[in-house]
């Protein structure tokens, strides 16, 4: 399949009459799969109301069929056809964070495709905060089911080039709206329980959620492997570059020592660090990829997936990464790093 590519400007002056959007929307209406930018990561979109279209997403990504998809909408009225029993706290969260990087898990209505929900009786739903995503859905007149537009297991895409790396030739098209902003996926919150539960940390932090609805819990599976995650996607290895990743939970001397030991064993060593840590390590390592500033974790989130992908072209044997505090957006960064590392953490 030849994958069409369209470039559109990512700005509020974006027009729904753009020929690029009309073409992409026409393909979506024919049940084809089209990648598009959101404020978090690129999504792999298809008509959420068509089983055939949704099946094509699973095929293109190589996604396990028991992992449900997020449905993206442009206005709250679309909820009525899709979900039931919207709780007061869910309403408050939508009011506060939509459009934005927050996905709510709600009771799904009869008739919602079981390919989207993977047979669960709940549906994950969000309103993205990106002019291109919103315009594309408006022109197509469809809610779009969309996982991140990467091959299953790979780091999520934050640029159209990342999408092409994984899916060129496998999907009908890619709408290129430039790099995404947040850089990590949306926060997934289960709103079917009395106290909302974070199933996946993401762009909206626990602290921000609690300011709006009071108490919010974390799915225990996020902290311990003894619990099965309530979000099926959280059980798979994820976000992993080709080389094994280890998280370094120690000071500079410990970090440098680990690098040197591996180099003595003849390994080509990749190092993933903030600007500040790079300076402290005095450039140790064979391939050093910097990823934002420790003083502004949003910059780390925005660059993390690009940094993980960067190692693949450099043929390193091993990657050692800095770790981050679990507060604020740090919780989402550490969740993705722990998955990329398969929980391999080195401590003195
Ligand atoms: O930021 C995002 O959320 C991006 C952009 C494209 O919107 N999408 C995204 O989708 O990250 P995906 O498919 O890569 O991740 C969706 C996560 C998975 O962990 C999945 O298991 C979970 O949401 N999920 C989907 N439906 C669910 C449900 N009904 N109950 C619990 N978890 C669900
Ligand atoms: Mg994903």
């Amino acid at each position: 399949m030849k994958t069409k590519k369209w470039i559109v400007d990512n700005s509020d002056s974006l027009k729904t009459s753009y020929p690029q959007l009309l073409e992409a929307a026409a393909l979506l209406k024919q049940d084809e799969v089209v990648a598009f930018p959101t404020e978090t990561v690129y999504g792999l979109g298809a008509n959420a109301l068509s089983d055939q279209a949704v099946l094509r997403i699973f095929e293109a990504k190589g996604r396990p069929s028991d992992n449900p998809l997020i449905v993206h909408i442009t206005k709250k009225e679309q909820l009525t056809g899709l979900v039931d029993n919207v709780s007061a706290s869910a309403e408050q969260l939508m009011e506060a964070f939509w459009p934005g990087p927050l996905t709510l898990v709600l009771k799904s209505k009869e008739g919602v495709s079981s390919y989207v929900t993977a047979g669960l009786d709940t549906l994950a739903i969000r309103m993205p905060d990106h002019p291109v995503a919103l315009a594309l859905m408006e022109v197509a007149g469809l809610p779009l089911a969309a996982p991140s537009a990467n091959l299953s297991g790979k780091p999520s895409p934050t640029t159209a080039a990342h999408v092409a790396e994984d899916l060129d030739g496998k999907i009908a098209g890619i709408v290129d709206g430039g790099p995404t902003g947040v850089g990590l996926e949306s926060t997934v919150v289960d709103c079917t329980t009395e106290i909302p539960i974070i199933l996946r940390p993401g762009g909206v932090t626990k602290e921000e959620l609690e300011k709006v609805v009071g108490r919010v819990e974390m799915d225990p599976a996020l902290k311990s492997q003894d619990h099965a995650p309530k979000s099926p996607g959280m059980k798979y290895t994820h976000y992993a570059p080709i080389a094994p990743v280890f998280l370094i939970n120690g000071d500079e001397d410990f970090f440098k020592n680990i690098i040197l030991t591996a180099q003595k064993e003849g390994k080509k060593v990749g190092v993933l660090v903030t600007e500040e840590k790079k300076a402290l390590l005095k450039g140790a390592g064979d391939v050093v990829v910097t990823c934002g500033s420790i003083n502004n974790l949003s910059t780390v989130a925005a660059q993390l997936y690009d940094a993980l992908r960067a190692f693949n072209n450099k043929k390193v044997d091993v990657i050692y990464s800095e770790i981050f505090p679990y507060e604020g957006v740090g919780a989402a960064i550490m969740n993705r790093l722990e998955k990329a590392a398969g929980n391999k953490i080195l401590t003195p």
Side-chain angles (χ1 to χ4, degrees):
M1 176 186 299
K2 174 120 178 59
T3 302
K4 284 206 164 186
K5 311 224 169 76
W6 308 274
I7 296 178
V8 292
D9 58 359
N10 160 16
S11 73
D12 290 329
S13 58
L14 180 76
K15 303 270 188 312
T16 47
S17 58
Y18 278 12
Q20 302 96 307
L21 291 180
L22 296 175
E23 263 187 55
L27 287 171
L28 287 167
K29 285 195 266 192
Q30 293 161 34
D31 284 350
E32 294 289 350
V33 171
V34 171
F36 63 96
T38 81
E39 81 281 29
T40 57
V41 299
Y42 272 73
L44 192 57
N47 179 358
L49 309 174
S50 155
D51 284 351
Q52 164 163 280
V54 172
L55 272 172
R56 285 189 169 144
I57 294 178
F58 284 89
E59 232 171 69
K61 266 189 78 107
R63 184 178 178 101
S65 59
D66 67 347
N67 192 2
L69 304 177
I70 297 171
V71 172
H72 297 66
I73 59 172
T74 55
K75 34 183 180 302
K76 270 181 77 182
E77 293 82 85
Q78 288 171 289
L79 286 173
T80 37
L82 298 166
V83 291
D84 261 335
N85 305 346
V86 178
S87 63
S89 52
E91 285 284 357
Q92 288 172 313
L93 291 174
M94 287 177 211
E95 196 53 45
F97 298 106
W98 279 8
L102 178 68
T103 295
L104 301 180
V105 172
L106 296 160
K107 181 98 180 54
S108 89
K109 269 227 165 108
E110 291 284 318
V112 171
S113 165
S114 64
Y115 293 105
V116 174
T117 62
L120 299 175
D121 60 1
T122 54
L123 181 70
I125 197 154
R126 89 173 186 102
M127 190 187 292
D129 186 16
H130 195 288
V132 177
L134 294 170
L136 180 63
M137 286 193 279
E138 196 175 309
V139 179
L142 295 169
L144 294 180
S148 49
N150 51 289
L151 285 176
S152 239
K154 290 279 168 64
S156 298
T158 53
T159 66
H162 294 163
V163 179
E165 231 169 71
D166 282 11
L167 295 167
D168 205 12
K170 294 188 169 144
I171 57 175
I174 303 172
V175 184
D176 181 349
T180 60
V182 178
L184 297 179
E185 299 86 340
S186 62
T187 305
V188 178
V189 176
D190 184 354
C191 286
T192 63
T193 50
E194 205 176 301
I195 298 166
I197 304 172
I198 297 177
L199 305 183
R200 176 178 73 179
V204 177
T205 66
K206 180 168 190 273
E207 294 83 347
E208 288 167 335
L209 295 170
E210 284 181 330
K211 270 192 207 138
V212 174
V213 289
R215 193 161 145 221
V216 174
E217 280 173 3
M218 283 275 193
D219 183 355
L222 292 169
K223 279 270 143 263
S224 138
Q225 273 130 54
D226 303 338
H227 297 82
K230 280 184 75 180
S231 174
M234 299 303 284
K235 70 174 183 262
Y236 299 106
T237 318
H238 250 95
Y239 317 116
I242 296 164
V245 179
F246 292 83
L247 308 184
I248 307 302
N249 183 18
D251 64 9
E252 285 70 60
D253 288 336
F254 178 70
F255 205 140
K256 270 196 257 178
N257 233 329
I258 297 226
I259 296 169
L260 280 175
T261 308
Q263 284 175 325
K264 275 187 202 140
E265 288 166 4
K267 288 186 181 142
K268 184 169 175 186
V269 175
V271 174
L272 174 59
V273 280
T274 56
E275 293 292 349
E276 293 83 3
K277 187 69 103 188
K278 179 185 176 183
L280 287 170
L281 291 176
K282 303 203 164 55
D286 297 301
V287 177
V288 181
V289 177
T290 55
C291 179
S293 163
I294 193 71
N295 300 320
N296 181 358
L297 290 186
S298 299
T299 61
V300 178
Q303 294 169 36
L304 182 65
Y305 288 140
D306 186 59
L308 285 170
R309 278 177 183 262
F311 290 108
N312 288 346
N313 310 321
K314 305 281 198 233
K315 307 264 182 305
V316 296
D317 299 305
V318 62
I319 299 164
Y320 296 123
S321 170
E322 180 176 351
I323 58 165
F324 298 90
Y326 283 87
E327 280 112 63
V329 74
I333 294 170
M334 281 308 287
N335 171 263
R336 307 310 191 270
L337 276 175
E338 281 166 1
K339 288 195 170 295
N343 284 307
K344 296 190 292 294
I345 302 177
L346 302 179
T347 318

